[in-house]
Amino acid sequence: MLTLGIETSCDETAVALVDDGRLVGEKLATQIDVHALFGGVVPEIASREHLRVLPRLFKELMAETGTSPKDIDTIAVARGPGLLGSLLVGVSFAKGLCLSTNASLVGVNHLWAHLLAPGLAEDLKFPALGLLVSGGHTHTYLIKSPVEFELLGRTLDDAAGEAFDKVAKLMNFPYPGGRYIDDLSQEAEPDTKLFPRPYVKNPSLDFSFSGLKTAVSLYVQAHPELVFPEMADAAAIAALSGEKREALCRVCASFNWSVTETLKIKVERALDQVGPVKSLIVAGGVAANTRLRETMARLAKKKGVHVVLPELSLCTDNGAMIAYAGALFAQAGYSHELDLEAIPRGRIVPLDWTCKAKNIAVE
Ligand code: KG4
Ligand code: ZN
């Protein structure tokens, strides 16, 4: 079964073809440079960029894989959560393609797709505990099967990636700053007393990162020498040396430690609560973080579960994960009609399948 995946939920435009669980080809255009000028994603610009780029990417994918649109069995599209204007571009494109071919339509939950993506590289074992850490979301799920997700915990304010990006911005790192914090962190030992591990002294599985961001902000205000005078680029960060570099690396390592330990405490608690699972899947852009990967691997070993850490290209937004997740849902009998809605961030993605499934928990 040939499935096309379309991803336009934020600042990456991406398409991919998956055939029976195997990636056939993919195209991706990132808008990072466009938004970096503003220090964050500008929704209207993102929508316009998707509109401009998506048809070209689709044509290139068809040409490079020798595929005709008529060969496609299923069109899977990220239908939320995400930026509404951006999602509408992908969803409208998918509907147009469905009208001009005989393909069926599947709207895909972008967050679930992140967690299923590592299935492109290895067989996933269920039930699994899923930790989704991205720029917009921090969620834990009990994943009973590839099409059954139960939300366990979520952030009450900032997402983990958002905390990385906001802290990076405090020091005038380029956007998105998570990977610069990761890089610098590796040059220093964390000071585990410097910043709190937020929202861990409670029985809940939810997260809250805004207090940690404030703690770093107060520290940086008291140490203005840590801030680049203007927005640094990668070269300026690489050129930094001496005591300033050491101090900056220590702050990054300490913040990175606080986030990672907080995630570990909550994931360990979730593992204890849900009963035996076969694997721990870590996904989303922040799953690229070196310390987080090491920490989750250690935790999984301690708990006797298999850890699944997707390769870096599968961590951030891509079309392959949408195609792969869409194919799994299509195989299980799910599809959508052409009145499929796009769902903005903050709203629950409904289970409005044509073929209603039972016992699937909503987000
Ligand atoms: O999943 P993603 O591509 O976008 C969303 O769907 O939100 O994740 C992007 C996020 C950004 O916040 C970025 O700073 C963060 O992932 N990120 C990292 C690293 N690489 C990307 N955060 C920490 N360490 C990294 N190595
Ligand atoms: Zn994402």
Side-chain angles (χ1 to χ4, degrees), residues 110 114 134-136 161 164-165 176-179 182 284-286 288-289 315-317:
H110 175 92
H114 266 300
S134 72
F164 269 97
D165 295 339
R179 76 179 170 92
D182 184 2
V286 184
N289 186 264
C315 287
T316 45
D317 290 348

Side-chain angles (χ1 to χ4, degrees), residues 110-351:
H110 175 92
L111 308 180
W112 297 3
H114 266 300
L115 286 160
L116 294 171
L120 278 161
E122 64 177 286
D123 272 347
L124 299 180
K125 302 267 186 288
F126 299 97
L129 191 98
L131 170 66
L132 187 267
V133 268
S134 72
H137 299 89
T138 305
H139 286 187
T140 47
Y141 292 97
L142 173 61
I143 313 173
K144 295 174 189 162
S145 80
V147 295
E148 288 177 285
F149 285 66
E150 183 186 319
L151 184 68
L152 300 171
R154 65 189 306 166
T155 182
L156 303 175
D157 40 57
D158 289 348
E162 201 173 351
F164 269 97
D165 295 339
K166 285 180 175 169
V167 162
K169 201 170 177 178
L170 289 174
M171 294 174 293
N172 252 335
F173 290 176
Y175 174 85
R179 76 179 170 92
Y180 298 99
I181 293 184
D182 184 2
D183 288 349
L184 292 174
S185 292
Q186 290 172 57
E187 295 178 32
E189 282 303 313
D191 177 346
T192 58
K193 301 274 184 295
L194 203 54
F195 303 124
R197 288 168 299 172
Y199 206 63
V200 291
K201 292 194 182 112
N202 58 65
S204 139
L205 295 178
D206 290 331
F207 304 93
S208 166
F209 288 106
S210 66
L212 172 60
K213 180 190 62 192
T214 306
V216 181
S217 169
L218 292 173
Y219 186 86
V220 171
Q221 274 170 33
H223 298 83
E225 70 280 4
L226 292 172
V227 181
F228 282 92
E230 56 191 40
M231 198 196 277
D233 57 13
I237 294 176
L240 193 68
S241 61
E243 277 179 21
K244 183 170 172 186
R245 187 175 188 91
E246 279 172 31
L248 202 58
C249 289
R250 200 173 58 97
V251 169
C252 290
S254 307
F255 164 75
N256 206 338
W257 179 86
S258 288
V259 175
T260 304
E261 286 300 304
T262 303
L263 293 170
K264 188 193 88 178
I265 289 168
K266 296 281 170 141
V267 168
E268 183 162 13
R269 194 175 293 168
L271 283 168
D272 291 340
Q273 282 184 20
V274 297
V277 293
K278 292 194 175 131
S279 47
L280 167 62
I281 304 173
V282 188
V286 184
N289 186 264
T290 314
R291 178 177 283 277
L292 182 65
R293 293 173 86 88
E294 290 165 2
T295 304
M296 288 299 153
R298 268 200 308 275
L299 173 64
K301 194 167 176 201
K302 176 177 153 194
K303 294 289 181 186
V305 297
H306 175 66
V307 70
V308 179
L309 295 161
E311 58 183 89
L312 299 190
S313 63
L314 280 181
C315 287
T316 45
D317 290 348
N318 61 83
M321 68 183 194
I322 304 298
Y324 182 71
L328 290 172
F329 278 84
Q331 272 159 17
Y334 300 108
S335 67
H336 280 106
E337 301 295 335
L338 289 180
D339 60 358
L340 173 71
E341 276 187 289
I343 308 296
R345 186 178 157 188
R347 253 182 67 194
I348 288 171
V349 179
L351 299 174

